[in-house]
Amino acid sequence: MGKLDDIENHAKASLAATLDRGDSHDGKGSLKGAEPHVGRSELSNVIPPDDGYEGKHRWDPSATWTTEEEKAVIRKTDIWLLSWLCVMFFGLQLDRGNLANALADKFLDDLNLSRDDLNNGNTIQLVAFLTAEFPVQFLTKRYGFRYVLPAMMFAWGTVSWAQAWIHDRTGFYVTRALIGACEGGFIPGAILYATYFYTSSELSTRLAVFWSTLNVARVISALLAAGILKMRGIGGHPGWFWLFLLEGLLTVLLAFISFIYLPASPTNTKSILFRNPWYTERQEVIMVNRILRDDPAKGLTLINEPATWQDVKATWTDKSLWGLFFIGLIAYIPATPVQGYLTLTLRDLGFTDSFDINMLTIPSAALQIITMLILARSSKYFNERTFHCFIGEFWVMPLLIALITLPDGGREWGRYSLVTLISGYPYFHPIVTSWISENTFDVKKRAIAAATYNVIVQVGSLIGSQIYRDYQKPYYKIGNTTLVSISALALITFVTQRFVLVRLNKKKEDQWDKMSRDERLAYQNDVAARELDGNKRLDFRFVY
């Protein structure tokens, strides 16, 4: 059957299904499907999936299901997929963040490193991380997520346990570079993987859960470090030696399990661990059709279809994404040095015992889990992104001002409270990531956009890691003044980005309103132009 025949039959079946459900009217007296509609979720009537789409055998435009059935599918996906992605992300954060725990065990003194050396090491790690981002996206699109993601996990876990034997500045720099290179691209790859199982309205909340794992890892790693660092002297090694070794070996074990656990796609969930599919045939029909009705573009690109440099060019020249990319550069900087220097700041404030220091980092991690989930849930409920991110950004500014104005000397618990509140700010990264995904209409472009955004976020982290310098300690007032200015710029950027997207939508609406009904139908049935233009189409609307 040809593509145009698919479109015609799909439209007829969709209209029939709408009539069968008894909701044939859109509230304005016209039949759904009989009049062209706008918005990504309204385009499934005119965009059937590609013949090579892995879920094509489950595609049924006339399929219907109950709310309870869909909830059962989502619940099963949360249990089997999301939970394991969180475990993998836990392994990422465990090996990426255990350096902060090691600092409580005289790591810098043992290797004769300064804090500027630490900054340089973090910079090297981030540069290597950035370098790997785009190659990894090409690899995941070519060979599949179920193979590439566990392979990356095995690689960084191996480097992590091997760094236990470093003994000088050179070894520190080399292992930082290798860990960064092995981890780069994992996060956007895992996010893109999740988009094949969740609708856009579900994604931001799931990503908030995903990033909550970062803070869960901070809590668990702090607890682990509190005990493991007490092993200092065993075998003649410092506590941080055992920290790197044991946590790295744990990640390698998780990587092996991931190889035999992850599914290839929603309709191919069998593996060595699962001889039977996760979903019944009925549930696969629900999964495929609910995903395609929310975002029909997912059916136009195979899960293993390689991205091209043309996709990169299309992404980087998309003006609707530029503001979001700039947000990624600056919005997270204000909290970055405060979080990164938390253990060292506690030592500067007079807390010397490694156990106490690691325990004192837990409240900020727990706070951020709560604030992030509340913010993501609210964003989903109100279907709003800009002002929720604005709240998350604004949270940090008065706290930084308080740190600047707090008199020098004493007040250790007051300063601790402020840095804890800053480190626990409502992390809006999941909302922005989902926002970018919703505003792209091509899956390959979405992969490039996610990687680009993540690279830019890491560049922001690189900038943030250099703001606190040795000469500013222990109160870093110069650095905090800089952070306040960057926070103000980020707030302005959020408002500007919303204004830009509103104007882009308005221009599309004006052109759309000038077209006749027949012109709109012909326009929507132009499949070749749609795949070429993506989110530039007049019937696509940007969300904000």
Side-chain angles (χ1 to χ4, degrees), residues 53-59 73-74 76-78 80-81 85 145-146 191-199 202 261-271 274 276-292 298-299 301-304 443:
Y53 172 59
E54 53 275 357
K56 181 68 178 287
H57 62 295
R58 301 297 186 210
W59 174 60
V73 171
I74 297 171
K76 185 175 287 188
T77 305
D78 287 342
W80 292 113
L81 180 74
L85 288 179
F145 303 96
R146 71 186 306 182
I191 293 170
L192 184 63
Y193 185 38
T195 64
Y196 285 91
F197 293 81
Y198 291 107
T199 65
E202 298 158 358
Y261 183 97
L262 292 180
S265 71
T267 56
N268 183 9
T269 53
K270 290 183 179 181
S271 65
F274 297 94
N276 296 315
W278 290 2
Y279 309 103
T280 64
E281 289 188 8
R282 168 70 174 166
Q283 288 177 326
E284 286 186 358
V285 170
I286 296 172
M287 170 66 80
V288 168
N289 288 281
R290 77 187 198 92
I291 292 295
L292 293 185
K298 292 176 182 176
T301 304
L302 310 188
I303 200 167
N304 287 355
V443 175

Side-chain angles (χ1 to χ4, degrees), residues 190-376:
I191 293 170
L192 184 63
Y193 185 38
T195 64
Y196 285 91
F197 293 81
Y198 291 107
T199 65
S200 56
S201 64
E202 298 158 358
L203 189 60
S204 61
T205 305
R206 269 67 189 182
L207 290 182
V209 173
F210 183 66
W211 262 289
S212 292
T213 309
L214 183 150
N215 292 287
V216 171
R218 286 171 58 192
V219 173
I220 295 177
S221 64
L223 294 171
L224 289 174
I228 295 174
L229 293 180
K230 293 293 184 182
M231 297 174 66
R232 189 176 184 89
I234 296 179
H237 297 294
W240 54 262
F241 171 92
W242 297 108
L243 184 71
F244 290 149
L245 179 63
L246 295 176
E247 292 186 351
L249 290 175
L250 174 60
T251 301
V252 169
L253 175 62
L254 295 177
F256 275 119
I257 298 174
S258 299
F259 269 117
I260 59 177
Y261 183 97
L262 292 180
S265 71
T267 56
N268 183 9
T269 53
K270 290 183 179 181
S271 65
I272 295 176
L273 287 182
F274 297 94
R275 297 303 177 91
N276 296 315
W278 290 2
Y279 309 103
T280 64
E281 289 188 8
R282 168 70 174 166
Q283 288 177 326
E284 286 186 358
V285 170
I286 296 172
M287 170 66 80
V288 168
N289 288 281
R290 77 187 198 92
I291 292 295
L292 293 185
R293 290 177 191 178
D294 171 72
D295 185 1
K298 292 176 182 176
L300 301 179
T301 304
L302 310 188
I303 200 167
N304 287 355
E305 184 174 335
T308 66
W309 287 109
Q310 186 63 35
D311 298 315
V312 175
K313 179 182 178 182
T315 304
W316 289 355
T317 56
D318 187 343
K319 295 180 181 179
S320 69
L321 297 175
W322 289 356
L324 295 174
F325 290 157
F326 188 64
I327 285 169
L329 177 66
I330 63 173
Y332 310 108
I333 291 177
T336 295
V338 180
Q339 290 176 322
Y341 269 68
L342 185 56
T343 54
L344 291 177
T345 300
L346 291 173
R347 292 183 69 91
D348 290 338
L349 294 178
F351 302 98
T352 56
D353 185 81
S354 63
F355 180 86
D356 293 340
I357 291 173
N358 280 296
M359 289 299 98
L360 288 170
T361 64
I362 292 178
S364 64
L367 176 62
Q368 189 162 82
I369 293 174
I370 296 170
T371 57
M372 177 169 55
L373 289 174
I374 290 175
L375 195 71

Side-chain angles (χ1 to χ4, degrees), residues 14 32 52 54 109 111 158 167 175 211 214 218 228 243 248 251 260 368 372 379-380 404 413 439 467 495 506 530:
S14 295
K32 274 190 174 181
E54 53 275 357
D109 295 336
L111 270 65
T158 300
H167 58 275
T175 53
W211 262 289
L214 183 150
R218 286 171 58 192
I228 295 174
L243 184 71
T251 301
I260 59 177
Q368 189 162 82
M372 177 169 55
S379 176
K380 176 185 176 183
I404 296 169
W413 287 108
N439 278 350
I467 289 178
V495 176
K506 184 64 169 60
R530 180 173 302 284

Side-chain angles (χ1 to χ4, degrees), residues 403-411 415 474-477:
L403 278 179
I404 296 169
T405 57
L406 197 65
D408 295 350
R411 301 175 178 82
R415 296 182 200 281
Y475 303 122
Y476 303 103
K477 292 193 175 184

Side-chain angles (χ1 to χ4, degrees), residues 73-93:
V73 171
I74 297 171
R75 184 165 54 250
K76 185 175 287 188
T77 305
D78 287 342
I79 293 172
W80 292 113
L81 180 74
L82 180 65
S83 62
W84 192 255
L85 288 179
C86 288
V87 169
M88 296 177 73
F89 192 39
F90 170 80
L92 174 78
Q93 182 57 29

